[in-house]
Amino acid sequence: MALLVGVAGVLLGVLWVWLAPRVQYVSNGEAVFLRNTEGEGRIGSDGTFLLLSAGLGALSAVAVFLWRRRGGVPLVIGLGVGSVFAALVGWRVGLWLGPTSDLVVAAGKAGKGVPFDAPMQLLAYGVLLGWPMVAILVHLGLTAVWGPKDLPAAEPWAGAYTTPDGLLPRPPQD
């Protein structure tokens, strides 16, 4: 199951490249500069990754719950490990599918004064924990609300002081 959830990370990478705001650089022939120094695209890329991974984490938790209809330590560990793997796969696929990370080559192709897209980048690595945290919390909530309920424990002392008819036995008469 961890492998199935992990493979879903490819979808995260594709969606991240497609939906994340683009940051652009421009070259003056000697150096590379941000085109818009006050733009929010760099933080928007992290936010897009976090929101996509949170949504996919919730979907994976619902899918795992519907598949097994119960909780359990091995199931939750598999979901957690698969979710961490999926976030890492999504990050690496996004880097691979996005614009090149070699700024010298990209600036040379674009030419002097022509803006070009910056490579995909995560500045806050904590967003990699979005998928596993949401997946485990949603699965916990689903299991708590719709999971199988435990039977009440039998009271071990219930029959120790009563007779089969439910009456207390009389103390011995001396």
Side-chain angles (χ1 to χ4, degrees), residues 2 8 15 21 46 51 58 65 73-74 89 103 111-112 114 127-128 131 134 137 146 157 165:
L15 288 173
D46 289 356
L51 291 175
F65 178 77
V73 174
V89 166
L103 293 180
K112 185 176 178 180
V114 178
V127 299
L128 291 170
W131 188 320
V134 169
L137 288 174
W146 288 293
W157 62 85
D165 59 358

Side-chain angles (χ1 to χ4, degrees), residues 48-87:
T48 303
F49 188 90
L50 178 64
L51 291 175
L52 287 171
S53 62
L56 290 170
L59 286 176
S60 64
V62 169
V64 167
F65 178 77
L66 292 176
W67 177 53
R68 298 299 293 204
R69 290 275 185 191
R70 62 177 177 79
V73 174
L75 187 72
V76 173
I77 288 174
L79 179 62
V81 168
S83 297
V84 169
F85 182 64

Side-chain angles (χ1 to χ4, degrees), residues 8-167:
V10 174
L11 178 63
L12 173 61
V14 170
L15 288 173
W16 182 43
V17 169
W18 182 41
L19 296 173
R22 298 286 183 206
V23 177
Q24 290 194 326
Y25 288 141
V26 67
S27 173
N28 66 358
E30 296 177 12
V32 176
F33 303 99
L34 281 171
R35 181 173 181 212
N36 182 3
T37 58
E38 295 184 16
E40 297 173 353
R42 293 173 66 93
I43 192 78
S45 179
D46 289 356
T48 303
F49 188 90
L50 178 64
L51 291 175
L52 287 171
S53 62
L56 290 170
L59 286 176
S60 64
V62 169
V64 167
F65 178 77
L66 292 176
W67 177 53
R68 298 299 293 204
R69 290 275 185 191
R70 62 177 177 79
V73 174
L75 187 72
V76 173
I77 288 174
L79 179 62
V81 168
S83 297
V84 169
F85 182 64
L88 291 172
V89 166
W91 173 43
R92 300 309 298 175
V93 166
L95 295 178
W96 180 63
L97 291 176
T100 181
S101 61
D102 190 356
L103 293 180
V104 175
V105 171
K109 281 183 180 178
K112 185 176 178 180
V114 178
F116 61 95
D117 287 338
M120 299 299 290
Q121 187 175 27
L122 281 182
L123 299 177
Y125 293 113
V127 299
L128 291 170
L129 296 176
W131 188 320
M133 290 175 66
V134 169
I136 289 174
L137 288 174
V138 168
H139 188 270
L140 174 68
L142 291 172
T143 304
V145 174
W146 288 293
K149 305 297 181 219
D150 292 336
L151 296 175
E155 298 172 355
W157 62 85
Y161 300 107
T162 60
T163 59
D165 59 358
L167 301 174

